[in-house]
Amino acid sequence: MNIKLKRKVENYIFLGLSFLSAGFGLFFLFWILGDLLLNGFKYINIDLFTKDPVPPGMEGGGLKHAFIGHIIITVLGTVIGTPIGILAGIYFAEYGRNSKIAKIGRNVVDVMVSNPSIVIGAVVYAILVKPVGHFMGFAGGVALALLMIPVIVITTDEMMKLVPQQTREAAYALGAQPWQVSFHIVLKAAKVGVLTGVILGVARISGETAPLLFTSFNNNFTTFDPTKPMASLTVTVFQYAMGPYDDWHRQAWAASFILTFGVLLASITARYIIQRKKY
Amino acid sequence: MEARKKALNQAKLFENVFKVVLGSAALFVGILLPLVIFISLYKESSLAINHFGVINFLTSTDWDPVAEKFGGLVPLMGTFIATFLATLIAAPISIGIAIFLVELSPNKLKPVFSTAIELLAGIPSIIYGMWGLFVMAPLFGEKIEPWLTENFQNVPLVGKLFEGSPTGIDVMTTSLVLSIMIIPFMSSVVKDAFNMVPSIMRESAYALGATKWEVIKQVMIPITASSIAGGLILSVGRALGETMAVTFLAGNVNQIPKSLFDPFTTITVALANQFTEADTAIYLSSLYFLALILFVISFFVLYLSKIMLLRLEKKWKV
Amino acid sequence: MKVKKLALAGILTVTGVAFAVDITGAGSTFVYPIISAWSYSYEKATGNKVNYQSIGSGGGIRQIENRTVDFGASDAPLTPKDLSEKKLLQFPVVIGGVVPTYNLPDIGNTQLNFDGKALCDIYMGKIKKWNDPYLQQLNPGVQLPDRDITVVRRSDGSGTTWIWTNYLSKVCPDWEKQVGYGTSVDWPTGVGGKGNEGVANYVKRFRGAIGYVEYIYAKQNNLPAGKVKNKEGNFVAPSMESFQSAAANAKWDKKQHFYYVLTDQPGKNSYPVTGAVFVLFAKDKPESSKKSVQFFDWVFKNGDQEAARLSYVPLPQNVKDMIREYWKENGLM
């Protein structure tokens, strides 16, 4: 009797703790999103998107330079990173299945997904910024591409592996070459999944700050020229939130709000697509 | 016949070209990239390595740009302390969340809850940092930490942890925010592992009259132990390299913290703050040396976690 | 939404709407408010853009040394020897002051008195409480609170730090022996903020904090700026006039590349923690330096009022003329 009661109590205590843990996670999620909504939303206005910043201490101005810079750097990263990521992903899924080296390479890619992003920034500074002689938006794009590639490789690989083996065999039976099978059959079948990987990659890189600090640097003006230093939302939020001016803080909240909800929207979309694919 | 042979040859050639292109992309990502990172970090830090020596650098607490004496012990310790504390908080909570998602949540709500937890991982780290600075730091510095000091300062053994003048920019706030950031990684790994346990094992335990908790404790956790360890190590790897959130909250002080309320520094904080402004060659090289150390440590930690995670997959995949 | 963004950016890059930023400068956060105000008006007046990033003087020196920017700005003057080694040119542009600022809600914005010993002991971690007898004795009329002092200093390489520690080294032998001066030093205590911005932000956030910032950062953020005792024994409040008085003794010399330190100057009304901001050019990149010269020439003609509005002291006309000669001698004008 006593033991039974003890087991029951223990059961409830630990399940209760499990409930609390889930509550803990959700609590912080809603707290952070709530603060962003509360503090960020009200400072969004037209000027934020259409004006360059004014000197510190002056009221007004906007973050046009950062929005445009951020889009350009992210697009550069995506354009450089996507093809390399998809090609490597196809290799791991279709050609490297049974090779030992490919397996190690695949594990390394998995490791690179979680690699400290600031290290990438330091490396790109050494191999691109210093030799060329100045900070530039393009270097930021390269740094982001290097962060994005592993993400795309992994999802491409996984999504292509989901394509049933029979599909491949059917194609071979019809006399297709391996490249035709990979490209026309498997990749086509896994198209949506691969696209999801790209979205996930974009979501990942568009929230990055650390690799941009030493590469694309910052700029007080709007520029479309990727060979020049370029502002980005994240670096600007860093600068503004660390600064003392109330006006800066307001703009940092507004920018964070837009950034966070944009990134979350992208990753929810990607997850939704993957879920539908899997089941 | 000739034409067919030609076509076949062409196809073969094309196939080979294709293979080379794919292979070089894979080679680049899987082998060259980490190698390039390692080599360029090593090259940039060779000045510091030659000047101070590896052992000396790792054991020295100096960080004196005026005398040009640098050592990595303090930021390295800071990185370890923050990572350790964050993992300490995150581990039980992540397991709790995984249990909730697999065993307790109503089936219909499962995707909603797991998306919600994974959204935590999607929030950019700079947002954690800014939110930590604007919201958590004042709360901790003005309310929670003074209260802790008052009530725990004189407790033997742990009292020392709560000494000092709290500002909210310290080890405690940093580790807490860091733990929130790594919870989703660990809980999703543990959740996937739990899901992999064949239901027949669970059901047989229930049939023997086990309670839910007993099933979890005696069936699920032992079976998935290597995955849980893998998830733990993965989150350690993540925490080691986290930059922006920590930069906002650590306080950038080159000292090994003695209390939870001391400001401190980590490798990533030192890099983010000092990289563009280090004004001498040896200074910059020392920063690169720190980056190299961070890269090597997190690479091995992450690889270890990968191996542990693969082990379970092998066990249960037919 | 993402797709739209992509498309938009695509169009923008393809059509190549390139409004090139003409010059990039980086360095001193001390001078950031005024340079960004100047570049704002400069762009309005001429259409040329000057992108100035406040990353700290240490960074300014490093980046111009590596030629990653068109000009660097530093509040720490480089010695003529350093300049010739690094093939750099140097001249001052404006003068300002570093002030002790604090957050004591108990006494509001009351202007406290400090002297060299008090600041030195606070930054050495020897004075730990605001109601320390030594501080109390300097401020007889003020009820100082029983609060811990949170010392805030810079985490990055900083000319403001250079001026501050240079002053402390001059007035406090212990400091000179144990810490010394430079753009970054081995701090005995304190929390590190990034840039003048970061220090001001931390001081604003922590009750009981003390930090040192360029005067305008305290002023723009409604933080108090303490009086500091000068060589003649007077407690002097930071202001344009007291900075000007300190700068009046300066002997600028273009042969020395204007190397001159303005801390702890004589004069009844001289504020002791005064410093000039120096701009650095690369000798071997005349094209980019010439563009920068155009900007600073415009500043010398049109920027004085703006400087005064932000409580910086513009250079006297004869010094400006000397700098123009210096440019000419080096083939930049």
Side-chain angles (χ1 to χ4, degrees), chain C residues 6-23:
Chain C
L6 290 176
L8 176 71
I11 293 163
L12 293 176
T13 17
V14 169
T15 48
V17 201
F19 300 110
V21 171
D22 295 328
I23 35 181

Side-chain angles (χ1 to χ4, degrees), chain A residues 70 202-210 234 259 263, chain B residues 122 124-126 244:
Chain A
H70 204 81
V202 171
R204 159 91 204 264
I205 60 171
S206 49
E208 280 292 348
T209 317
T234 43
L259 188 70
V263 168
Chain B
S125 73
I126 187 162
M244 295 326 288

Side-chain angles (χ1 to χ4, degrees), chain B residues 277-293:
Chain B
E277 36 238 42
D279 47 4
T280 54
I282 187 78
Y283 190 174
L284 184 66
S285 182
S286 302
L287 285 169
Y288 266 112
F289 197 5
L290 285 182
L292 178 68
I293 294 168

Side-chain angles (χ1 to χ4, degrees), chain A residues 248-279:
Chain A
W248 278 14
H249 293 171
R250 286 194 279 272
Q251 293 188 349
W253 275 113
S256 305
F257 169 78
I258 294 169
L259 188 70
T260 309
F261 283 86
V263 168
L264 292 188
L265 200 70
S267 60
I268 290 179
T269 315
R271 262 169 238 288
Y272 177 72
I273 300 173
I274 286 191
Q275 289 296 326
R276 259 202 349 198
K277 262 277 12 115
K278 269 191 181 159
Y279 302 113

Side-chain angles (χ1 to χ4, degrees), chain A residues 6 9 72 82-83 131 137 157 171 182 185 198 205-206 223 242 265 269:
Chain A
K6 201 188 134 214
V9 170
I72 292 177
T82 306
D157 178 32
S182 316
I185 311 294
V198 177
I205 60 171
S206 49
T223 174
M242 281 300 226
L265 200 70
T269 315

Side-chain angles (χ1 to χ4, degrees), chain C residues 262-327:
Chain C
L262 287 172
T263 56
D264 205 27
Q265 293 288 324
K268 198 163 66 104
N269 295 317
S270 297
Y271 181 75
V273 204
T274 302
V277 181
F278 297 85
V279 164
L280 300 163
F281 285 168
K283 236 179 179 166
D284 45 8
K285 271 177 83 182
E287 276 317 303
S288 96
S289 301
K290 268 183 195 159
K291 277 191 254 168
S292 309
V293 159
Q294 275 172 15
F295 171 60
F296 287 105
D297 187 49
W298 180 91
V299 160
F300 284 165
K301 273 184 207 133
N302 307 294
D304 287 2
Q305 247 180 0
E306 202 123 35
R309 184 173 66 79
L310 295 174
S311 310
Y312 290 88
V313 182
L315 297 174
Q317 193 55 44
N318 65 325
V319 180
K320 286 180 184 170
D321 291 341
M322 199 196 293
I323 293 170
R324 287 199 176 99
E325 278 167 38
Y326 178 74
W327 290 337

Side-chain angles (χ1 to χ4, degrees), chain C residues 127-270:
Chain C
I127 293 182
K128 290 183 187 322
K129 289 260 183 200
W130 277 105
N131 62 355
D132 186 277
Y134 190 79
L135 287 181
Q136 190 63 69
Q137 162 248 310
L138 289 177
N139 295 284
V142 188
Q143 180 71 41
L144 284 168
D146 176 27
R147 244 180 218 287
D148 289 336
I149 298 180
T150 302
V151 172
V152 183
R153 40 75 173 177
R154 292 284 287 272
S155 65
D156 51 345
S158 149
T160 310
T161 297
W162 194 94
I163 296 171
W164 185 250
T165 51
N166 179 278
Y167 165 71
L168 289 180
S169 296
K170 278 184 181 166
V171 295
C172 176
D174 278 357
W175 186 273
E176 194 183 8
K177 237 187 326 194
Q178 290 174 35
V179 189
Y181 68 92
T183 52
S184 40
V185 296
D186 192 9
W187 293 98
T189 182
V191 178
K194 193 168 155 60
N196 268 296
E197 299 92 329
V199 171
N201 195 15
Y202 277 166
V203 170
K204 220 170 154 183
R205 296 196 162 267
F206 305 152
R207 292 187 188 150
I210 184 167
Y212 57 91
V213 291
E214 209 300 319
Y215 181 42
I216 189 66
Y217 284 92
K219 218 171 147 185
Q220 280 177 341
N221 292 292
N222 296 320
L223 290 165
K227 293 181 182 174
V228 183
K229 198 176 186 174
N230 68 8
K231 239 182 174 161
E232 331 254 306
N234 298 327
F235 288 101
V236 181
S239 69
M240 248 187 93
E241 292 72 36
S242 60
F243 303 153
Q244 208 148 22
S245 159
N249 303 296
K251 291 168 201 68
W252 304 108
D253 180 0
K254 64 179 178 336
K255 284 194 197 85
Q256 296 298 312
H257 302 280
F258 304 94
Y259 179 90
Y260 200 84
V261 181
L262 287 172
T263 56
D264 205 27
Q265 293 288 324
K268 198 163 66 104
N269 295 317
S270 297

Side-chain angles (χ1 to χ4, degrees), chain A residues 95-134:
Chain A
Y95 290 83
R97 279 205 171 178
N98 302 313
S99 131
K100 193 127 205 204
I101 298 178
K103 247 180 208 157
I104 293 177
R106 172 73 173 62
N107 286 348
V108 168
V109 176
D110 235 4
V111 166
M112 295 303 287
V113 169
S114 305
N115 195 46
S117 58
I118 194 158
V119 169
I120 303 278
V123 169
V124 173
Y125 181 87
I127 60 178
L128 199 59
V129 176
K130 219 162 73 171
V132 172
H134 56 88

